[in-house]
Amino acid sequence: MPTFVTPYSGSAELTASNGLTVVDPGLWRYSQAGYNDGATFGLSLGHPNPLTGGLLHLRAEDWPIAVVGTELTSYTDPATSLTYGPTVCRIVITGAWQVIRQQNSNSYNSFNITYVATTATDLGDRDMNPYLLNYASPQATYVIQGAGVAGGAQDTFSNHVFECRVTESAASTNSNREFQSNTVTRPAWVYTYSKSWQTAA
């Protein structure tokens, strides 16, 4: 069983504020009042127009992993003064999509509105009708490691496309057919990361 020294580990998230590219914003806009994080999108719909937000599409590929990056490097263990090269370096991330879909808590204009909506990602999807629902995808693990690591050289991260697509339409009106629906969407790929060096086979 190979042994590793793991000086770097932690958790982070990939959002529109730090790596997710907005391919298509549809009618979504950053930050309804109170959500100034650069990662939350607000959508305003109204009767009779617009009743649908179009497509919010975000993606990332070869993005910078928090703290550890994506480059295999050397490491000197301060406890032993031994140096391990990039060929025995391994980077592992494990994560899942967590996509918040909800009415804007700062708005009182969306009562009694129902929706037809979808959240679709590279790890799965969810249809919503008549209410908006948060989505948590299955987890996935991606590895970058050198040729000297057990199992040989691998890179399942660099060419993988992390992708989220969101749609939303108002499916009902209030009694006088006048409303403004204010909702928020926050797509995030939430993950743990580690960077290790194999010390023994």
Side-chain angles (χ1 to χ4, degrees):
M1 192 73 173
T3 57
F4 292 83
V5 58
T6 307
Y8 307 109
S9 63
S11 60
E13 62 179 15
L14 172 70
T15 70
S17 68
N18 64 5
L20 276 177
T21 298
V22 180
V23 179
D24 188 344
L27 296 183
W28 276 264
R29 297 295 178 262
Y30 280 124
S31 179
Q32 296 275 346
Y35 295 94
N36 298 306
D37 60 356
T40 301
F41 296 82
L43 176 66
S44 293
L45 300 177
H47 188 275
N49 187 38
L51 290 176
T52 182
L55 173 68
L56 172 62
H57 180 197
L58 302 97
R59 75 190 300 274
E61 188 175 3
D62 297 330
W63 47 274
I65 300 170
V67 179
V68 300
T70 58
E71 181 181 357
L72 300 177
T73 59
S74 298
Y75 172 72
T76 299
D77 188 344
T80 63
S81 296
L82 294 175
T83 297
Y84 304 97
T87 60
V88 293
C89 182
R90 180 177 70 179
I91 298 168
V92 179
I93 62 170
T94 298
W97 284 101
Q98 293 184 14
V99 184
I100 294 173
R101 306 289 304 272
Q102 64 186 31
Q103 291 183 337
N104 189 342
S105 60
N106 295 311
S107 170
Y108 296 94
N109 298 327
S110 303
F111 292 146
N112 299 320
I113 304 300
T114 58
Y115 300 92
V116 175
T118 61
T119 299
T121 74
D122 54 289
L123 296 178
D125 54 70
R126 184 173 199 175
D127 293 334
M128 288 158 265
N129 184 355
Y131 305 113
L132 297 177
L133 301 169
N134 295 337
Y135 173 67
S137 76
Q139 283 196 332
T141 297
Y142 305 95
V143 178
I144 305 171
Q145 68 180 37
V149 178
Q154 295 182 40
D155 186 353
T156 59
F157 170 80
S158 295
N159 293 321
H160 181 78
V161 177
F162 295 76
E163 196 160 32
C164 180
R165 297 170 181 261
V166 168
T167 66
E168 182 175 318
S169 298
S172 69
T173 62
N174 55 17
S175 59
N176 62 2
R177 294 181 64 80
E178 294 178 358
F179 69 88
Q180 183 180 16
S181 167
N182 294 315
T183 62
V184 292
T185 297
R186 189 180 191 275
W189 201 76
V190 180
Y191 64 99
T192 59
Y193 60 83
S194 66
K195 190 171 187 177
S196 308
W197 285 262
Q198 185 172 326
T199 60

